[in-house]
């Protein structure tokens, strides 16, 4: 060990889903959208004024926050934009979770919540999902320093009805409740309408899934203007310029093309519902996912074995070693119909042979 | 106050230099480069495969780190890339400054060092610059948990000779010394060559100044592979995907165009040296800046008054209210020769009237 290594933070790094370089791979492992972004997005990059690039971007990314606000019929001051939902969620943790009481989130959920809590020294307490992988509302009734959960939850895809979300938000006017709606556009009802009623609600969304822009890194928060103001102050205090001119311009164009967006999302929903039936026909159990992925298990074939078999066949899906309860499940992103047909052909041959 | 506000982090936000929307403004207030980025940068955006945008970027941004490494004759594993130097510096603070001893940095310097230290609860101790605004090597001899300083320093522009940088690095093999070289390309000698000799040295650089890409948000660290590995682990552990596909592609093209880069930088150096003489002719005192800005003061005309006069004339420069010692100084970015001529015409009229 070198002398300076005693002063270094050492962590167990997150292992992201594999990004194979081979274009022939069918990639159903990172919940990317199978369709390209709206045509206007590429046009925005093509026509970006080079003189803009030499200048610092608008730290408020006001063009983009105004476009998002306009789309949802909200005020620009109710939107905070950042470098993907990881960035905006980390900023929300930092700003909103400053109580000495523990924050609450599900035990099986997005894997970065406990990482951010530890990074910012926020006490936390995980709440176990029920036997059907559902978030139990009553677990969130206890005293806490804040709450966060995804809706639909990941990696289960299970959606919590808005009335239950409202129950949690309304129980705790003294803390911020963050609803992480990364997958909400695939059929769930956003908690957006609750913002008029509850000023302790914060919603996170992303351009990475439903808007096919994972490569551009855009996420955003929706909340009341006071709360968004606090988050902006916090962000400005230590990193003023996060969103590039390119991301701002591209994001605005995506928002403008409502028709393209609706069409892509509907395609994915249609393929998902068809895929659920196909999985069940092959003897899989499958949660009623409302996201752009399915969460499946098979009584006879261990998930790890299926994962390896598919990988050899050039089809990448996601398998988690942790937590133990989901070790026998696969998370499979909804691709195009053709990609899913290739997947089912492969599975069919395997489970019937 | 609303119930939840008791649990919110409230901060004094950083006030970035103004970004006027009016194109007629001569903007010498945020150290932006007056020339556009290399032509290949725009071409990279124009030709970016839309299919790349729907996919998550390579979390290691390997195309870009390889390009930077190749340019400097280093290994890819010696380079860490991120969203501007603010992002990579914050990550370096988080990873490298985990001692209970205070880290050391100058009292007049880049304003985010103490912000990150406070954010990550790193103890720190500011070291006063000498009467000529120089960093005193002996102040950094004491026991510490790490050291960071910009070279050239900001907002003074004063460059510390490499032998003195080496003295500081060599004194403390047990802690990381970060040299923030945001402005090094404008005439200073980088500490890069010291990396072969000292494994406790970390260098930060940016595409925002010398590469005219403030709008694209690209910064990077150079260090030994072990140290860069720790920083990568730390980053992956809570935000895997930070650099967009657009930033990676654009950054690679900038690195490729060595001739364009050298020409732009030389222009700025030439205009800077000419500007120093012009300032002194007008009765200003001017540090011997090696950056793309000058740091000036006038015995008869208070800085704030000059700042306001220039602003009214459509010329934006930077004036800091804090720290008190620099309140009578202006930081003036080097623009094109034409922009500087407009500045001097304005100043000349004022100081001679």
């Amino acid at each position: 060990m070198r002398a300076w290594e005693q002063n270094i933070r050492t962590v167990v790094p997150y292992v992201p889903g594999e990004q194979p370089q081979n274009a022939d791979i069918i990639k159903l492992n990172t919940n990317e959208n199978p369709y390209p972004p709206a045509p206007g997005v590429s046009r925005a990059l093509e026509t970006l004024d080079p003189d803009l690039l030499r200048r610092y971007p608008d730290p408020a990314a006001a063009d983009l926050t105004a476009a998002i606000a306009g789309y949802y019929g909200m005020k620009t001051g109710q939107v905070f934009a950042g470098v993907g939902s990881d960035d905006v969620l980390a900023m929300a943790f930092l700003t909103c979770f400053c109580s000495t009481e523990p924050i609450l989130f599900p035990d099986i959920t997005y894997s970065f919540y406990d990482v951010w809590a530890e990074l910012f020294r926020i006490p936390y307490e995980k709440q176990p999902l029920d036997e059907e992988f559902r978030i139990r509302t009553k677990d969130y009734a206890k005293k806490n320093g804040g709450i966060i959960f995804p809706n639909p939850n990941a990696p289960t895809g299970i959606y919590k009805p808005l009335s239950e979300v409202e129950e949690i938000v309304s129980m705790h006017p003294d803390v911020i409740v963050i609803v992480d709606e990364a997958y909400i556009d695939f059929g769930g009802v956003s908690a957006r309408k609750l913002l008029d009623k509850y000023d302790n609600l914060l919603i996170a969304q992303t351009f990475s899934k439903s808007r096919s822009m994972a490569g551009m890194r855009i996420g955003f928060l929706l909340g009341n203007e006071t709360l968004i103001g606090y988050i902006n102050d916090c962000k400005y205090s230590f990193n003023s310029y996060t969103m590039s001119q390119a991301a701002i311009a591209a994001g605005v164009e995506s928002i403008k093309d409502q028709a393209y967006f609706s069409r892509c999302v509907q395609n994915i929903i249609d393929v998902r519902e068809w895929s659920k039936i196909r999985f069940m026909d092959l003897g899989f159990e499958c949660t009623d996912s409302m996201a752009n992925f399915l969460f499946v298990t098979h009584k006879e074939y261990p998930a790890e074995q299926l994962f390896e078999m598919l990988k050899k066949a050039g089809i990448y899906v996601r398998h988690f070693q942790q937590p133990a309860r989901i070790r026998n499940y696969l998370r499979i992103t909804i691709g195009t119909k053709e990609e899913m047909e290739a997947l089912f052909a492969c599975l069919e041959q395997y489970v019937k042979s």
Side-chain angles (χ1 to χ4, degrees), chain A:
Chain A
M1 199 166 109
R2 308 177 203 211
W4 49 263
E5 288 190 72
Q6 63 189 312
N7 296 319
I8 292 285
R9 180 186 294 253
T10 52
V11 296
V12 181
Y14 172 74
V15 181
E18 281 181 88
Q19 296 288 36
Q21 295 306 307
N22 183 345
D24 295 336
I25 298 291
I26 294 180
K27 218 177 146 294
L28 306 176
N29 66 336
T30 54
N31 295 345
E32 289 153 336
N33 196 308
Y35 309 109
V41 169
S42 289
R43 276 201 304 275
L45 296 180
E46 280 163 29
T47 57
L48 197 70
D49 178 1
D51 207 53
L52 267 185
L53 290 180
R54 71 176 184 83
R55 295 206 175 186
Y56 282 98
D58 170 16
D63 288 350
L64 181 58
T65 53
I68 295 169
Y71 180 73
Y72 288 130
M74 299 171 71
K75 293 178 189 161
T76 303
Q78 290 187 273
V79 185
F80 173 85
V83 183
S85 68
D86 286 347
D87 179 41
V88 301
L89 282 171
M91 204 57 61
F93 268 59
L94 181 63
T95 310
C96 304
F97 292 159
C98 297
S99 166
T100 52
E101 296 288 333
I103 63 166
L104 309 179
F105 50 84
D107 65 339
I108 296 171
T109 193
Y110 188 46
S111 62
F112 275 8
Y113 298 158
D114 52 9
V115 173
W116 295 321
E118 276 166 26
L119 175 66
F120 300 130
R121 306 187 200 194
I122 301 163
Y124 63 93
E125 213 180 74
K126 295 184 183 184
Q127 306 304 307
L129 298 182
D130 75 9
E131 62 292 339
E132 285 175 312
F133 291 123
R134 285 176 307 206
I135 293 171
R136 283 183 298 219
T137 303
K138 69 177 173 56
D139 291 343
Y140 296 82
K142 69 186 76 163
K143 195 164 166 55
N144 64 73
I147 291 169
I148 181 164
F149 58 89
N151 197 30
N153 195 13
T156 63
I158 296 173
Y159 170 73
K160 196 167 183 60
L162 198 58
S163 58
E164 295 179 21
V165 172
E166 179 165 6
E167 208 179 325
I168 294 177
V169 175
S170 68
M171 278 191 289
H172 303 290
D174 57 326
V175 303
I176 302 301
V177 178
I178 305 176
V179 185
D180 178 354
E181 296 189 337
Y183 300 102
I184 198 69
D185 293 326
F186 300 105
V189 179
S190 171
R192 221 162 31 239
K193 59 176 70 165
L194 301 180
L195 286 171
D196 292 335
K197 210 165 151 189
Y198 301 99
D199 60 12
N200 63 320
L201 170 62
L202 190 63
I203 294 168
Q205 291 194 11
T206 175
F207 280 48
S208 297
K209 320 291 184 187
S210 56
R211 294 192 175 275
S212 308
M213 290 174 71
M216 209 61 211
R217 316 308 304 126
I218 306 176
F220 61 95
L221 301 172
L222 304 173
N224 75 79
E225 286 182 287
T226 306
L227 179 55
I228 295 294
Y230 283 125
I231 297 169
N232 263 317
D233 285 350
C234 201
K235 168 236 168 99
Y236 293 153
S237 77
F238 61 88
N239 192 354
S240 312
Y241 306 103
T242 55
M243 300 210 69
S244 71
Q245 306 275 20
I248 294 170
V252 168
E253 290 305 316
S254 169
I255 292 284
K256 278 185 190 163
D257 200 339
Q258 162 78 41
Y260 182 88
F261 172 73
S262 303
R263 206 159 59 237
C264 286
V265 164
Q266 193 56 53
N267 282 350
I268 291 167
I269 293 173
D270 292 346
V271 175
R272 178 187 69 206
E273 296 306 312
W274 169 81
S275 297
K276 281 179 188 170
I277 295 165
R278 294 285 283 128
F279 270 115
M280 289 187 281
D281 286 347
L282 291 170
F284 282 86
E285 277 176 44
C286 181
T287 61
D288 187 25
S289 172
M290 293 279 266
N292 70 335
F293 57 82
L294 293 176
F295 192 58
V296 305
T297 187
H298 199 289
K299 280 210 178 81
E300 293 163 51
Y301 302 93
E304 196 160 5
Q305 192 178 309
L306 290 166
F307 171 83
E308 292 298 343
M309 180 277 291
L310 289 169
K311 191 168 175 180
K312 269 183 206 138
I315 302 174
Y316 284 32
V317 300
R318 197 78 200 268
H319 175 245
F320 299 93
Q321 292 291 354
Q322 294 293 339
R325 229 182 118 190
I326 63 169
R327 203 171 287 167
N328 204 29
Y329 283 77
L330 295 175
R331 190 197 69 186
I332 300 177
T333 306
I334 303 300
T336 60
K337 186 90 181 263
E338 294 67 35
E339 289 173 323
M340 299 311 279
E341 274 167 349
L343 168 77
F344 290 122
C346 197
L347 287 173
E348 196 162 15
Q349 200 177 26
Y350 193 75
V351 304
K352 292 194 172 164
S353 64

